[in-house]
Amino acid sequence: MLSRGLPQGSVPKLERPGPLRERVYEALLELITTRALRPGQHLVESELAGHLGVSRQPVREALQRLNSEGWVDLRPAQGAFVHEPTEEEADQLLTVRTLLEAEAARLAAAHADRAGIDALRELLAQGDLAVASDDVDAAVALNARFHAKIMELAGNAVLAELAAQVDRRVRWYHAPVARRRGQQSWIEHRDLIAAIADGDEQLATRLMREHTEHTRRSYHARQRS
C-alpha cells in the first residue's frame, strides 16, 4: 500500500499553475525515477489521488501516459504497476547514454570556458560532500546535474535534446548503484574535469566512455547479486 510504501515527505507538492493532469504526471514520474515508488509496486488510483490531493481522473490519465512511455505497466484485471526494467532494457539505454555522453565530453573539451569548468568543480565539491554524508538522493541528483552541465558545455542543441530524452531513465538506473559506485564515481568526475579543462578531446572521450561503462557494469552486477 502507498501509505507504507512512500517515505515520509517524498510526495512532491503540486504547483498550482499549469494543467492538473500534467502536474500529476510530473509528480508521479518524479516518484518513480527517484524510486520512492519501487519497480513492481502496485499503484492504486485512489491512494495516489489521496496522497497528491487530487481526484482520480488526472491520476488515471497520468498512469495511462506513463504506461505509453514505459514507466508503468497496466495489467488487465490487476491494475497499474511500476515497470520493472529488464537487463536488456537497461543495457540498451546505458549503451546509448555512453555514446551521447562520450561525444558531449569531447565537445566540452573543445569549447568549455573557465566559468563552465568552475561550475563543474563546484558540482564535484557538492558531490563529494553528498557521498561523504551518505546522502544517496543528493548524490544521484548532483550526478545528473554534473552530466547535464557537460552536455550544456558541449554546445550541441541536438545532442542535448537527445540526452534529455534519456536523462530520467538514466537517473532511474543510476539510483540503485549510487552507493555502490560511491566516491569512485566522483574521482572519475574529477579526472573528466581535468581532461576538459586541458582541452584534451581524446582523453575526455575515453574517460567518459569508461565512466559510463563502469556504471553499466555496476547496474548489471547489482541485478545479479
Side-chain angles (χ1 to χ4, degrees):
M1 300 292 283
L2 286 175
S3 57
R4 296 192 297 272
L6 283 177
Q8 184 69 28
S10 66
V11 179
K13 299 291 186 183
L14 294 184
E15 299 295 333
R16 287 301 163 194
L20 181 60
R21 62 178 177 273
E22 183 68 23
R23 290 184 282 120
V24 171
Y25 162 82
E26 287 292 339
L28 292 179
L29 183 53
E30 183 68 13
L31 289 170
I32 290 171
T33 55
T34 59
R35 295 188 175 241
L37 293 172
R38 309 290 298 175
Q41 184 170 341
H42 187 204
L43 303 175
V44 181
E45 286 182 9
S46 59
E47 293 185 353
L48 289 169
H51 278 286
L52 296 173
V54 299
S55 68
R56 294 175 63 175
Q57 182 60 31
V59 172
R60 183 177 301 114
E61 293 175 356
L63 291 176
Q64 290 170 347
R65 179 176 171 183
L66 291 165
N67 173 68
S68 70
E69 295 175 354
W71 294 101
V72 166
D73 297 326
L74 296 179
R75 303 174 189 169
Q78 296 183 54
F81 297 81
V82 178
H83 180 66
E84 295 185 76
T86 65
E87 286 209 28
E88 182 179 7
E89 288 172 354
D91 197 65
Q92 290 177 357
L93 181 85
L94 294 174
T95 296
V96 169
R97 181 212 184 193
T98 294
L99 296 173
L100 297 174
E101 297 274 5
E103 178 62 9
R106 184 187 72 79
L107 291 171
H111 302 301
D113 57 14
R114 180 178 295 276
I117 299 301
D118 288 344
L120 289 175
R121 286 173 175 152
E122 174 58 27
L123 289 168
L124 174 69
Q126 294 177 34
D128 283 338
L129 288 174
V131 171
S133 60
D134 198 31
D135 189 341
V136 175
D137 290 342
V140 171
L142 287 162
N143 179 75
R145 288 174 58 192
F146 181 88
H147 284 271
K149 186 63 183 180
I150 290 178
M151 196 63 64
E152 176 188 325
L153 296 176
N156 186 311
V158 175
L159 185 65
E161 182 179 355
L162 292 172
Q165 293 177 27
V166 301
D167 175 65
R168 267 178 157 157
R169 288 192 185 274
V170 168
R171 285 177 59 193
W172 195 34
Y173 292 126
H174 181 67
V177 301
R179 183 173 281 113
R180 179 191 293 259
R181 292 280 279 130
Q183 188 61 44
Q184 181 58 37
S185 179
W186 292 91
I187 291 172
E188 294 165 13
H189 285 169
R190 182 177 290 107
D191 293 341
L192 265 168
I193 293 172
I196 292 171
D198 289 343
D200 192 329
E201 297 178 40
Q202 289 188 341
L203 180 58
T205 301
R206 178 173 65 81
L207 289 175
M208 181 64 88
R209 186 176 292 116
E210 292 173 352
H211 173 68
T212 53
E213 177 63 15
H214 290 159
T215 298
R216 188 182 72 85
R217 287 203 301 265
S218 292
Y219 180 85
H220 288 310
R222 181 185 183 277
Q223 295 300 101
R224 293 164 184 159
S225 63

